[in-house]
Amino acid sequence: MANLLQIGTSGVLGHQQMLQTTGNNISNVNTDGYSRQRTQHNSQTDNMGLARSVTGREVDKFAQAELLIDTSAFGNKEKFLAEITRTDQVLSDKSNNMAAGVSQLFESFHTANDDPTSISNRQLAVTDAKTLAASFRNVGEQLNNQAQTANSEIAEKPALLNSLIQDVHGLNKQVMIADGTSRGASGTLLDQRDVAIESLAKELDISTIVNDNKSISINLLNGQPLVMQNNVSQFSTVTGDPESNNVELVLNIDKNTMPLQNTNLGGRIGALLEFRDETVYSSLREIGQLSLGIADAVNSQNKMGLDLNGNMGKDIYTIPPTQAKHFSDNSNPAHVINSKMIAGEGSSLTTSQYQISMTSPMTFDIFEIKNGERSTNPLAVNGAYPGPVEVTDHGFEVDFSAAAGGFQSGDKFLMSPTLFNLDDYDIINTQPEDIALASILQTKTGVTNTTMSRLAVTEISDASLSFSNNDLSLTAPQQITVNNSGDFDIFDGNGTYMATSSGALNGQNLFSNAVPPLNPGVGYEIKMDGKPNPGESFTLAYNRDSIADNSNGLRLAGLENDDKLRKNHNNNGENQMTFAEGIATLISTVGNQTRAARVDSSANQAKLIQSQNWVESVSGVNLDEEAANMVRYEQAYNASAQVVNISKEIFDTILNAAR
C-alpha cells in the first residue's frame, strides 16, 4: 500500500512538472530567443514510480553555430548594402550630374568658337566651367559627409560591444553558479546568454567555445579573445594611423592594446569600415582624378592660345596641392611632405595611394599602393631631395622642403595625390576675355611644298622660356626644313641652325627628340602631321592677327573626345579614356557594387532564414504539439492522482477492518 502511494505521488509530481514546462512553453511562444524546454523522467530502478525529473532546453549546437555564422554574414551584407546605396544615389542623382556638366562645358566652348569676339558666348564658357567645379565640390562634400557618418557610427560601437561582452560575461558567472546547484542553470538564463551572443555576432565575426564549467568563451576570428572564463576584453577607439580623420577600433586585453585597423572584423562593423575605406575614399580619389584631369587639360590648352586681348592664355582652374599623412611613429610629426600634379601631366594621374619611406635623412623610396597592396619595388623618380621630385609616369611631384629640420631613416608617409580638399577646387578669377580661343603660334607651309603636311603645336609648358612682350624670341626655334635624309633640321628666328630631329620618329615631339634636345629649354613643343618630302619647309610665328581666330578654341572643345584619363594603373596609349568615360566608369563601378551587394544581401538573408528555420525546428515552440502534450500530461496527472486516491481507500479499508 505504501508502495502504491509512493508510485502515485511521484506520478502526480512528475506530471505536474511536465504540465508546468508545457505551460511555460506556451506562455513564451512569442518570446524572442526562447528555446523550447522539455522535462525528462527516469523510472525508479526498484519499480517505485518516477525518479527525479530534469527540465532542459531543446537545442542543437550545430544549428546554433551555423546561426551565428549566418547572422554575422547577413549583418555585414545588409549594412554594406544600406551604406553603398547612399553613395550610388549621390552619384546617379541628376542634380549631381557631373557628366552633363562636362558635356555642357565643352558645348559652351563650341558656342564661343562660333563667334570668338562675343563676350556673352565667352561668359557662358566661364559660367559652365564654374558650374562644373561646383558639381565636383558638391559630390565630394556629400561623399565626405558619408565618410564622417561612418566614422561617427564606428565611434559609437565600443559602447555597444563592451555592453554585450559584459552581459555575456555576467551571464557566464550566473550559469557557472547555477550549474553547481542541484537544479542547474535554467533555460531562461541560457537563452539570455544566447541572445547576447547573437547580438554580438551581428556586429562582428566571432567564434565560441563551450568550457567544462558551462561558460562560453568568445573570440574574434583572428583568435583575439573577447570573453574569457575569468576576464573580458574591451573595445575603444583611436585616430587612424596615418589617416587621422578616421576612427579606428582597438581591443584592450588586460594591459595590452591590440590595433584592429588591418583586421577583417566582419559583421556590421566590418561593413562600415569596408564602405568607408574601399567605397567612399576610392570614389573620392576617382573624383579627384577626374577634376584634376579636366583642370589640367583645360589649363594646358588655354595656355597654348591667345585671349581676346591678344595676351597669352593662363590657367582657368586651380590645381589644389595635397599633403602626405605621417605615421604615428615618425621622428617628428611636424615634418611634412607636399605633392602637386605636374602641369600637363594630368593624363598620367592614377587613383593609387603612395608610401614615401625615408631611407636616410635625405634619401627616400616611393612605393605605389593599389588595391591595398604595396608595390615590391620603388617607383622611378626624376629629381633629388628636397625636390620637387617627379614620380615618373604618375603625373605628380613631391616636395620635402617644407619639413622643419631633417627627416630620419624609417619615417613613413602616405600620399594620395588625387584625394584633396575639393573646397579648394574652383576656377581662378577668370574673365570672359581670358578664354584663349586663338592659337598663340601660327604655322605656315613653304610655298613650294608639294604635300599636305602641317606643323601643329602640341604643348606650351613654359611660355617664359621663349615668349616675352607678346612675341616669340628670335632665338627660339621657328623654322623646320626637311633634309635629304628625311630628317627635320631646326633653325631659330635668325636662321641659325639649332638641331636635327629624326624623321624615323613619325614627326612626334620634334624639339624633345632633337639632337641636341631643345626641350625642356624651349618651353613649347610641335609635331609634324603627314610625311613631307625632302626640301619642304615650315615656319612658326607669333599670332598677331588673333581676334577672330578660334583654332585654339577648337582644340579646347575637342578635349571632350580626347583620351585624357588613365583607365587604371598602367600608362600606355591603350589605357586612356575620355572624361565622359571616366565619369561613367565611376558611376557604373559603384552601381555594379551596389547591385552585387543587393544580391549578396538577398543570398545571405536566405541562408540566415534557413539557419533560423533549422534552429526553430529544434528549439521553437509548436502550439499544436504543446496543446497535445497538455492533454496527455493532464490525463497522466489525473491518473496518477487516482492512484493516490485508490491507495488512500485501501489504507482506509485496512484501518476499518482492523477495528
Side-chain angles (χ1 to χ4, degrees):
M1 180 187 62
N3 292 347
L4 187 60
L5 178 61
Q6 181 178 343
I7 291 171
T9 302
S10 67
V12 169
L13 294 176
H15 291 101
Q16 181 185 37
Q17 180 63 42
M18 285 183 165
L19 285 169
Q20 289 177 345
T21 301
T22 302
N24 190 51
N25 286 341
I26 295 172
S27 297
N28 286 280
V29 65
N30 293 315
T31 301
D32 291 338
Y34 179 80
S35 298
R36 179 176 55 181
Q37 298 180 12
R38 282 287 175 262
T39 298
Q40 302 292 335
H41 296 286
N42 291 317
S43 176
Q44 292 279 13
T45 57
D46 55 359
N47 295 324
M48 293 296 292
L50 296 178
R52 175 174 172 267
S53 62
V54 177
T55 301
R57 301 187 303 161
E58 294 285 308
V59 294
D60 185 319
K61 64 179 181 180
F62 299 107
Q64 287 184 310
E66 191 73 14
L67 178 63
L68 289 182
I69 293 172
D70 294 337
T71 296
S72 294
F74 177 63
N76 178 268
K77 300 304 181 182
E78 180 189 38
K79 184 62 176 174
F80 184 75
L81 174 61
E83 297 300 319
I84 198 173
T85 297
R86 295 191 296 120
T87 302
D88 185 45
Q89 290 171 344
V90 168
L91 295 177
S92 58
D93 189 345
K94 291 184 179 180
S95 63
N96 296 327
N97 197 331
M98 295 177 289
V102 170
S103 178
Q104 187 60 46
L105 171 63
F106 293 112
E107 181 63 31
S108 66
F109 283 141
H110 281 294
T111 301
N113 289 329
D114 292 340
D115 183 2
T117 63
S118 171
I119 294 296
S120 61
N121 288 351
R122 289 169 172 266
Q123 181 60 56
L124 180 63
V126 172
T127 300
D128 287 338
K130 191 173 186 65
T131 299
L132 179 60
S135 178
F136 282 125
R137 290 198 304 272
N138 183 44
V139 174
E141 180 182 8
Q142 292 183 67
L143 294 186
N144 275 312
N145 288 340
Q146 290 183 8
Q148 292 173 8
T149 300
N151 276 320
S152 298
E153 193 167 346
I154 293 168
E156 295 176 354
K157 288 298 183 180
L160 172 61
L161 297 175
N162 294 339
S163 175
L164 291 171
I165 289 171
Q166 291 289 359
D167 286 347
V168 175
H169 185 57
L171 290 166
N172 270 343
K173 289 182 178 180
Q174 295 181 52
V175 169
M176 288 187 290
I177 293 172
D179 192 59
T181 66
S182 59
R183 296 180 60 87
S186 69
T188 300
L189 187 61
L190 297 174
D191 285 342
Q192 289 175 353
R193 184 174 64 178
D194 286 348
V195 169
I197 293 174
E198 186 177 345
S199 297
L200 189 61
K202 291 178 182 178
E203 304 297 330
L204 298 164
D205 278 342
I206 59 174
S207 63
T208 60
I209 301 173
V210 179
N211 303 307
D212 293 338
N213 58 8
K214 300 300 188 295
S215 67
I216 292 181
S217 297
I218 303 177
N219 302 319
L220 293 175
L221 291 189
N222 67 354
Q224 299 294 349
L226 300 181
V227 178
M228 297 160 276
Q229 294 193 48
N230 299 313
N231 200 2
V232 296
S233 302
Q234 295 284 269
F235 287 91
S236 59
T237 59
V238 296
T239 56
D241 184 20
E243 294 285 358
S244 57
N245 292 330
N246 285 347
V247 175
E248 302 293 349
L249 294 178
V250 295
L251 187 62
N252 303 299
I253 308 173
D254 292 329
K255 295 182 180 180
N256 300 314
T257 299
M258 306 297 297
L260 300 173
Q261 186 167 343
N262 297 317
T263 302
N264 184 7
L265 296 176
R268 292 173 176 171
I269 293 176
L272 282 170
L273 294 170
E274 180 185 0
F275 166 71
R276 181 194 68 188
D277 296 338
E278 299 181 18
T279 299
V280 176
Y281 289 143
S282 177
S283 297
L284 283 170
R285 288 195 297 272
E286 288 191 55
I287 290 172
Q289 182 199 33
L290 280 163
S291 59
L292 289 178
I294 291 173
D296 181 60
V298 172
N299 286 352
S300 297
Q301 192 63 55
N302 202 62
K303 289 189 294 186
M304 292 171 62
L306 295 177
D307 63 21
L308 189 59
N309 296 320
N311 298 319
M312 296 180 61
K314 56 187 180 181
D315 286 343
I316 292 178
Y317 284 100
T318 58
I319 304 294
T322 59
Q323 189 175 94
K325 307 282 188 178
H326 65 84
F327 284 80
S328 60
D329 56 355
N330 280 9
S331 60
N332 189 338
H335 292 168
V336 297
I337 299 176
N338 295 314
S339 79
K340 191 172 185 179
M341 183 194 70
I342 301 171
E345 296 292 326
S347 60
S348 296
L349 284 174
T350 75
T351 58
S352 295
Q353 295 180 291
Y354 300 83
Q355 180 180 306
I356 303 174
S357 300
M358 302 303 299
T359 54
S360 78
M362 292 188 295
T363 59
F364 58 90
D365 286 326
I366 300 178
F367 300 88
E368 183 180 13
I369 301 174
K370 51 185 177 183
N371 300 324
E373 298 292 331
R374 198 191 80 165
S375 60
T376 303
N377 299 316
L379 300 175
V381 298
N382 183 17
Y385 181 92
V389 177
E390 176 185 350
V391 182
T392 307
D393 293 332
H394 284 260
F396 71 97
E397 61 187 15
V398 294
D399 189 349
F400 300 85
S401 61
F407 296 93
Q408 296 296 319
S409 177
D411 287 351
K412 293 187 300 182
F413 299 84
L414 182 66
M415 182 69 75
S416 302
T418 60
L419 187 61
F420 54 89
N421 186 357
L422 281 163
D423 287 341
D424 296 333
Y425 181 76
D426 203 349
I427 66 169
I428 302 170
N429 294 324
T430 301
Q431 300 299 315
E433 295 86 352
D434 295 332
I435 304 298
L437 300 179
S439 175
I440 193 171
L441 289 171
Q442 287 181 322
T443 62
K444 297 181 179 180
T445 59
V447 295
T448 61
N449 288 5
T450 59
T451 68
M452 299 297 292
S453 301
R454 294 287 186 273
L455 278 182
V457 180
T458 59
E459 180 185 20
I460 297 179
S461 56
D462 188 350
S464 64
L465 296 175
S466 296
F467 297 87
S468 61
N469 299 321
N470 290 334
D471 203 354
L472 179 62
S473 172
L474 287 175
T475 59
Q478 300 178 33
Q479 302 176 36
I480 311 295
T481 300
V482 184
N483 62 30
N484 291 332
S485 299
D487 298 329
F488 302 100
D489 293 332
I490 303 171
F491 303 86
D492 65 14
N494 295 313
T496 303
Y497 171 80
M498 300 181 69
T500 297
S501 187
S502 173
L505 300 177
N506 298 320
Q508 300 298 308
N509 298 328
L510 294 184
F511 296 158
S512 296
N513 293 326
V515 180
L518 299 181
N519 263 330
V522 172
Y524 62 98
E525 187 58 84
I526 61 173
K527 69 175 181 177
M528 180 67 70
D529 289 330
K531 293 184 178 181
N533 294 323
E536 293 191 9
S537 62
F538 306 84
T539 58
L540 292 167
Y542 194 85
N543 187 4
R544 299 188 181 282
D545 187 20
S546 62
I547 190 168
D549 182 11
N550 67 356
S551 54
N552 194 59
L554 294 174
R555 295 188 182 95
L556 275 170
L559 292 174
E560 181 179 16
N561 299 316
D562 290 347
D563 293 332
K564 291 292 185 179
L565 290 176
R566 284 175 70 163
K567 288 183 180 179
N568 53 43
H569 305 284
N570 297 320
N571 191 17
N572 58 64
E574 297 179 355
N575 228 10
Q576 301 291 114
M577 58 184 169
T578 65
F579 301 128
E581 290 172 338
I583 294 173
T585 298
L586 168 61
I587 295 173
S588 64
T589 297
V590 174
N592 290 336
Q593 290 174 347
T594 304
R595 283 189 290 274
R598 188 172 292 111
V599 172
D600 287 344
S601 179
S602 297
N604 280 273
Q605 184 180 29
K607 184 67 170 60
L608 176 61
I609 292 173
Q610 185 179 24
S611 296
Q612 290 171 336
N613 290 339
W614 184 10
V615 170
E616 183 70 16
S617 69
V618 176
S619 303
V621 176
N622 185 306
L623 287 178
D624 292 337
E625 181 182 352
E626 299 301 326
N629 287 339
M630 182 69 75
V631 172
R632 185 159 56 94
Y633 298 153
E634 181 185 13
Q635 291 174 342
Y637 176 86
N638 291 334
S640 295
Q642 188 64 28
V643 171
V644 173
N645 288 334
I646 292 173
S647 173
K648 180 181 177 183
E649 290 176 359
I650 293 174
F651 182 72
D652 289 343
T653 301
I654 294 174
L655 286 178
N656 291 332
R659 292 173 186 166

